[in-house]
Amino acid sequence: MTAANISALVEVRPHRSRTSARSVTIAGTQWPVYKLHALLAAVIVGVLALAITGSAQTVAWASGVALLTVWWTERFWQAHRSH
């Protein structure tokens, strides 16, 4: 019986530079700006939803949708802008 060669399962991909992405340093780690925009949008929408409805479930859904929408929209826009 032979053992599986784990190194044969690893796919090597060439490193793609993302120098065009704007980023900021937070606690020693580079964060893309679109992530901060998404978090800020989620907080703002969450506070507004709480003030309007008073429902935690509505806050969770609204802030989650806002976060994902901003995150993926800016990421998509940034990726296509750099080409």
Side-chain angles (χ1 to χ4, degrees), residues 4-62:
N5 183 1
I6 299 299
S7 63
L9 301 175
V10 177
E11 179 181 341
V12 178
R13 295 181 183 179
H15 176 69
R16 292 178 15 188
S17 177
R18 295 183 182 217
T19 57
S20 64
R22 293 184 318 163
S23 62
V24 294
T25 303
I26 298 176
T29 304
Q30 292 290 338
W31 272 53
V33 175
Y34 69 86
K35 289 183 180 183
L36 295 177
H37 290 163
L39 288 172
L40 182 62
V43 168
I44 291 170
V45 168
V47 168
L48 289 173
L50 183 62
I52 293 170
T53 66
S55 167
Q57 184 176 9
T58 303
V59 170
W61 277 103

Side-chain angles (χ1 to χ4, degrees), residues 37-83:
H37 290 163
L39 288 172
L40 182 62
V43 168
I44 291 170
V45 168
V47 168
L48 289 173
L50 183 62
I52 293 170
T53 66
S55 167
Q57 184 176 9
T58 303
V59 170
W61 277 103
S63 61
V65 168
L67 183 126
L68 288 174
T69 301
V70 172
W71 183 302
W72 285 105
T73 301
E74 284 196 35
R75 186 170 187 236
F76 180 77
W77 178 75
Q78 197 172 55
H80 287 319
R81 185 182 62 154
S82 64
H83 288 138

